[in-house]
Amino acid sequence: MLSSAVSILGDLQERLHENFGPHLQIMLARTHLQRASSELSMGQAHRAETSCQQASPILEKLRKQEYTAHSTALVQTLADSLVLQGKIYIHLGNTQAAMETFDQAANLLSA
């Protein structure tokens, strides 16, 4: 179902182009993250990493846009993305990368 939601939001993004606003973009990123979390729960860390990485460019693009740079929803979604990526790194056995990613999330939330 989450893959279907990503597909539907992707189609909507193509149709709306510049009218696909920040709230819809955050929703699309969150859907990718939810799918990644589900995949991680099923023991599919590599697939989870791919799904998580699909949210990253969406969130970074929003972060660079001045009008949403400090949006609470965006900051929280960015932090959630980093925490999930850290969990994925742990499952993949890369504890150093996990700790660095958790530190990034903490720094983001404390700023």
Side-chain angles (χ1 to χ4, degrees), residues 41-53:
S41 294
M42 293 184 290
Q44 300 171 348
H46 290 287
R47 286 184 65 188
E49 184 175 35
T50 299
S51 294
C52 193
Q53 288 173 349

Side-chain angles (χ1 to χ4, degrees), residues 20 48 59 72 82 90 107:
F20 191 78
L59 296 172
T72 303
L82 290 168
I90 288 171
N107 290 336

